[in-house]
Amino acid sequence: MDDLNALADEHVTAAHADPHGRSAHLLVHEDCLRQSIIALTAGTRLDEHNAPPAASLQVLRGVVLITTVSGDTELGSGQLHPVPQERHGLLAVEDAAVLLTAVND
């Protein structure tokens, strides 16, 4: 069983050691279900990309901004939000770790 608090701490630390300010790890890969922890240092962004058929983002640490053409959504620690069904990006407003849950075809 994975301890999400410990993983969030571990990956935020690893993101600080990474030249791109990121760390990620695939936790669950069962059939079409994927769960990944992603950590970003403050100011680091994931460029715009397509959304999977269904996904949610749970913020474990920090604050992130989901960016879309139709508007941005700020999420803080403890918040859970569906991933928009449009091209989107992710910006760490402060050091952050998130749990991405995605269902792919």
Side-chain angles (χ1 to χ4, degrees), residues 9-65:
D9 291 341
E10 174 186 335
H11 284 279
V12 167
T13 298
H16 275 280
D18 182 79
H20 301 289
R22 306 175 187 183
S23 180
H25 177 70
L26 181 63
L27 299 172
V28 175
H29 181 191
E30 294 183 13
D31 297 321
C32 57
L33 175 65
R34 309 281 185 280
Q35 286 188 301
S36 300
I37 189 162
I38 302 167
L40 304 169
T41 57
T44 301
R45 74 174 56 245
L46 296 179
D47 291 332
E48 189 176 277
H49 53 280
N50 292 325
S56 66
L57 197 67
Q58 179 182 1
V59 181
L60 303 172
R61 296 274 184 288
V63 177
V64 297
L65 191 65

